[in-house]
Amino acid sequence: MTVMEQRGAYRPTPPPAWQPRTDPAPLLPDARPYRVLGTEAAGRTDPDLLLRLYRQLVTGRRFNAQATALTKQGRLAVYPSSTGQEACEVTAAAVLEEHDWLFPSYRDTLAVVSRGVDPVRALTLLRGDWHTGYDPHEHRVAPLSTPLATQLPHAVGLAHAARLKGDDVVALALVGDGGTSEGDFHEALNFAAVWQAPVVFLVQNNGFAISVPLAKQTAAPSLAHKAVGYGMPGRLVDGNDAAAVHEVLAGAVRRAREGGGPTLVEAVTYRVEAHTNADDAGRYRSESEVETWRAHDPIVLLEEELTHRGLLDEATRTAARDAAEAMAADLRARMNADPALHPLDLFAHVHARPTAQLREQAEQLRAELEAEAEGAGR
Amino acid sequence: MTTVAARPATMAQALTRALRDAMAADPTVHVMGEDVGTLGGVFRITDGLAAEFGEDRCTDTPLAEAGILGAAVGMAMYGLRPVVEMQFDAFAYPSFEQLVSHVAKMRNRTRGAMPMPLTVRIPYGGGIGGVEHHSDSSEAYYMATPGLHVYTPATVADAYGMLRAAIASDDPVVFLEPKRLYWSKDTWDPEDPPAVEPAGRAVVRRRGSSATLLTYGPSLPVCMEAAEAAREEGWDLEVVDLRSLVPFDDETVCASVRRTGRAVVVHESTGFGGPGGEIAARVTERCFHHLEAPVLRVAGFDVPYPPPMLERHHLPGVDRILDAVGRLQWEAEN
């Protein structure tokens, strides 16, 4: 055998452990946010669904306005509004079955209310009479999570536990664009993909983390692209197009329910209000930018579609508005009553049974309260 | 019925047995962490559990402590009883936010609707020649977080009983395992482990009348040795093993100090901001008129944990404990 023949037979040995893994192509998001309203796809949507979403959007917008008004009246300590993001908020609740779970972040009070939680109970965190005012098990809604992205691994763990028990449960977890920079976002997506947990992650990319724009948050092609690195599909959707958000989320939920594993959905939307009532958005963005988004408002987009299809008459508009006003009036009336406060509850739920030290401290507070009441009585 | 005679067992074996028995007794108990499955953990505490109960009950997770504890929170929300293994004390820190913001607060935040019956096992402390980040005494961080229980066993029997109690507890427990005692042996019958008592009580390990050494975990054997050595100096020392840092057993501690009139707190953790300051304050507040001398502390120096070749200078040893006992104002007695 010649030297050349020997060289011809030579093949570099591949590293023994290396195998091709997931093909990334099917995981990649669309190049542009998926749209339904105003496109050919709109014709295929169920008119009843569109009308239902319309009524929920109108009520949702009114809820945000009422909650913001309550901050001005001193009835809420703070309110991070989801005005402009209502299509994501109401749809997140709409795509879930009763036995599914929702994991909200602090900006998602509207999603919590849309899931059926009493608004007054959903708002205790922001009123300040207790942290979580509702029993999470009642409507299968986790507590509103203020530490960013920390609720995402909870959703993964709960979905994983349900699957181990053989229960049909999907967890839908909400997070913002800023939250995608947190380590817990990365770890949650990684765990979900490794465990093939029935979870849907919905990132509402509203453009800002308080004042910091997306450009300073990430260099990724889109937030949906982050899914590919974990081996799950990423979906990019127009977050102000309620029909598109509904279709994409419902598809992701169905996929999770059928054992297909997790999906990351990025909904491109806009935070029309400031971060909270305590924020001054004029310091970091122009009013003209806000105006371009007001023109792409989720309610306007849906109204245009419904009108185009002859589904929106004046009676329907009025009925939607009246229902929203009734909700707001009820919320206003109930929030205008001072909440009953129970100071000794501070000690009641720290542990299953209070420690000796906490019993001592509860006694101290009880004595202080009695002295206070006596003083007030004199 | 077969009976097996008590024989020497290590703390590591007792911990393994506790996990096994807890998993056998309760199908909601799930063990999870890095390397806990096939390998049985870097200290082999979970040895055999994946084989016996399957990988769904004893799960190798991705290497991400916040993700591990965060997922455990979600599992506990759904009614499971996760037992998380953190590989080493200093590698638990990435999970700190989950522990402080969610594990510790979930019951309180939801007015009891969402308890967190999970256990976080953390091998802690020095004395094993570990390189940097493998020898921290992190108990003060956990003690300072309302909502957590903090247990640390010092004997083989307690390792079993307290871990069973931790897993059975409806509150989250940070279970600190003194890693240098993993291979300590005691006569203990693995076939007939003692009944599980609710944790939360300290215990007197050695009766004495001159002064009380208040200690826990890895420092207990050192204190027992110091108490023996102290006999030559004419001191008859009492040794209290705290066992549970939260809840703190003021009753047992104060009863001992009132008897002896003097106390030294001994732990590996740094002195400044360490558990000893809290313990000394509690004893002083409650036993002032019984004290013949200020409560002293023998602790690790206020330095980052030393490299292994220097750690013997850092760890509280017999001589340093005896020096402290010698400074308990005995001249007043004469």
Side-chain angles (χ1 to χ4, degrees):
Chain A
M1 197 186 284
T2 67
V3 171
M4 285 310 285
E5 279 168 342
Q6 282 175 351
R7 287 188 68 87
Y10 168 73
R11 294 277 185 281
T13 17
W18 192 88
Q19 297 169 15
R21 301 197 56 145
T22 317
D23 175 10
L27 306 181
L28 282 165
D30 294 345
R32 303 193 58 75
Y34 178 65
R35 287 286 308 267
V36 169
L37 299 179
T39 74
E40 275 180 33
R44 295 195 298 270
T45 50
D46 172 13
D48 288 342
L49 171 67
L50 294 184
L51 282 167
R52 198 162 64 238
L53 288 173
Y54 172 72
R55 287 190 293 268
Q56 288 176 339
L57 287 186
V58 171
T59 300
R61 175 67 48 85
R62 188 67 188 89
F63 177 82
N64 276 324
Q66 184 59 61
T68 301
L70 286 166
T71 63
K72 292 175 183 145
Q73 296 150 15
R75 287 296 178 183
L76 287 179
V78 64
Y79 184 67
S81 176
S82 59
T83 297
Q85 302 174 222
E86 290 92 348
C88 296
E89 294 285 308
V90 304
T91 307
V95 296
L96 294 180
E97 298 288 337
E98 199 183 327
H99 48 271
D100 292 333
W101 274 77
L102 181 74
F103 286 78
S105 82
Y106 66 89
R107 195 178 296 286
D108 303 315
T109 310
L110 177 56
V112 171
V113 170
S114 302
R115 182 99 174 112
V117 174
D118 175 3
V120 173
R121 289 177 175 274
L123 285 168
T124 59
L125 172 75
L126 303 170
R127 178 159 68 175
D129 49 317
W130 201 258
H131 306 303
T132 299
Y134 51 91
D135 176 350
H137 294 286
E138 194 182 337
H139 294 278
R140 286 149 305 280
V141 177
L144 288 153
S145 182
T146 315
L148 291 180
T150 56
Q151 72 280 15
L152 305 183
H154 304 169
V156 176
L158 183 136
H160 177 62
R163 201 166 71 115
L164 289 178
K165 285 178 88 171
D167 296 347
D168 169 23
V169 172
V170 173
L172 194 157
L174 304 176
V175 67
D177 44 307
T180 65
S181 297
E182 291 282 2
D184 278 31
F185 172 82
H186 165 83
E187 298 188 21
L189 265 70
N190 189 47
F191 273 64
V194 170
W195 286 350
Q196 286 293 287
V199 186
V200 176
F201 301 97
L202 172 59
V203 180
Q204 293 184 60
N205 172 6
N206 68 11
F208 293 91
I210 302 189
S211 68
V212 178
L214 190 67
K216 291 183 185 173
Q217 203 66 248
T218 181
S222 76
L223 296 173
H225 274 83
K226 295 192 175 213
V228 182
Y230 309 106
M232 75 175 74
R235 296 288 172 251
L236 185 60
V237 62
D238 184 329
N240 288 11
D241 179 336
V245 176
H246 191 277
E247 184 184 323
V248 169
L249 281 185
V253 167
R254 194 181 321 117
R255 186 171 178 279
R257 199 180 302 291
E258 289 167 357
T263 303
L264 172 66
V265 178
E266 175 188 357
V268 181
T269 180
Y270 195 77
R271 198 193 72 211
V272 171
E273 302 286 342
H275 165 61
T276 66
N277 49 300
D279 178 34
D280 174 9
R283 293 175 71 97
Y284 52 81
R285 69 184 189 189
S286 68
E287 193 49 40
S288 63
E289 179 185 308
V290 182
E291 282 311 312
T292 61
W293 279 93
R294 282 192 202 277
H296 193 65
D297 182 89
I299 298 179
V300 171
L301 294 184
L302 194 49
E303 277 178 340
E304 284 171 355
E305 178 70 33
L306 289 168
T307 306
H308 176 70
R309 287 169 67 177
L311 294 168
L312 192 61
D313 54 21
E314 200 46 44
T316 308
R317 281 176 193 271
T318 308
R321 215 166 32 232
D322 288 351
E325 286 306 324
M327 177 280 303
D330 177 63
L331 181 59
R332 218 165 33 237
R334 291 169 65 206
M335 291 296 285
N336 274 331
D338 287 334
L341 295 174
H342 306 282
L344 288 170
D345 280 4
L346 290 178
F347 304 98
H349 303 293
V350 181
H351 304 286
R353 278 179 302 283
T355 60
Q357 290 76 22
L358 287 184
R359 285 198 300 273
E360 271 177 33
Q361 290 168 26
E363 277 316 307
Q364 181 189 343
L365 179 58
R366 190 193 307 279
E368 286 173 12
L369 291 169
E370 277 167 16
E372 226 175 74
E374 236 169 74
R378 264 204 297 273
Chain B
M1 193 179 122
T2 57
T3 50
V4 178
R7 55 176 187 261
T10 63
M11 179 181 282
Q13 287 168 330
L15 291 167
T16 306
R17 180 70 194 209
L19 290 171
R20 195 211 151 270
D21 288 356
M23 291 175 86
D26 180 352
T28 67
V29 175
H30 282 245
V31 170
M32 56 199 285
E34 295 154 6
D35 302 294
V36 300
T38 309
L39 181 68
V42 295
F43 291 106
R44 306 291 183 269
I45 305 300
T46 58
D47 192 25
L49 300 179
E52 183 172 353
F53 297 99
E55 291 193 10
D56 282 347
R57 298 273 314 275
C58 180
T59 308
D60 277 332
T61 62
L63 206 165
E65 292 78 9
I68 296 169
L69 192 53
V73 168
M75 291 162 74
M77 284 176 166
Y78 203 71
L80 299 185
R81 217 166 255 276
V83 183
V84 167
E85 175 171 309
M86 293 291 161
Q87 202 154 67
F88 280 89
D89 31 59
F91 301 153
Y93 300 146
S95 65
F96 200 65
E97 183 181 22
Q98 285 291 342
L99 190 74
V100 172
S101 295
H102 293 298
V103 173
K105 292 177 178 165
M106 195 65 78
R107 172 188 286 279
N108 183 65
R109 164 192 299 148
T110 59
R111 290 185 187 274
M114 204 162 237
M116 279 288 117
L118 62 81
T119 303
V120 184
R121 297 179 37 241
I122 307 176
Y124 85 117
I128 62 158
V131 296
E132 195 181 16
H133 307 300
H134 290 75
S135 299
D136 283 10
S137 292
S138 34
E139 58 269 35
Y141 305 132
Y142 306 124
M143 287 174 70
T145 303
L148 302 175
H149 286 194
V150 183
Y151 301 167
T152 177
T155 68
V156 174
D158 270 359
Y160 180 86
M162 288 171 64
L163 183 52
R164 289 296 306 272
I167 296 170
S169 170
D170 288 332
D171 284 318
V173 179
V174 174
F175 193 84
L176 297 166
E177 300 172 1
K179 64 175 92 77
R180 71 163 133 146
L181 300 185
Y182 271 152
W183 306 283
S184 66
K185 285 190 175 180
D186 206 346
T187 305
W188 181 74
D189 182 357
E191 297 307 317
D192 187 21
V196 178
E197 306 169 45
R201 297 308 298 257
V203 64
V204 177
R205 294 289 179 200
R206 185 186 193 282
R207 284 277 172 187
S209 54
S210 316
T212 301
L213 301 181
L214 298 167
T215 192
Y216 56 88
S219 298
L220 177 67
V222 186
C223 286
M224 296 299 278
E225 199 184 329
E228 281 307 304
R231 289 167 60 182
E232 287 176 28
E233 310 282 336
W235 294 312
D236 177 22
L237 298 185
E238 182 146 309
V239 179
V240 174
D241 176 1
L242 298 170
R243 304 203 289 184
S244 168
L245 297 173
V246 182
F248 189 82
D249 184 358
D250 286 309
E251 198 182 328
T252 303
V253 166
C254 290
S256 172
V257 176
R258 286 188 191 115
R259 255 191 326 270
T260 62
R262 290 178 170 85
V264 178
V265 188
V266 181
H267 57 58
E268 285 186 20
S269 170
T270 50
F272 188 87
E278 175 64 27
I279 296 166
R282 302 189 75 80
V283 168
T284 307
E285 284 165 359
R286 286 163 179 76
C287 313
F288 184 72
H289 294 291
H290 294 81
L291 285 171
E292 306 289 341
V295 179
L296 296 183
R297 288 171 291 166
V298 177
F301 293 128
D302 297 325
V303 300
Y305 196 85
M309 294 171 84
L310 295 173
E311 69 178 335
R312 72 180 183 85
H313 301 294
H314 175 73
L315 294 170
V318 169
D319 288 347
R320 210 174 278 163
I321 294 169
L322 293 181
D323 279 352
V325 173
R327 284 186 280 119
L328 289 172
Q329 301 188 0
W330 302 97
E331 57 280 6
E333 302 264 292
N334 305 321

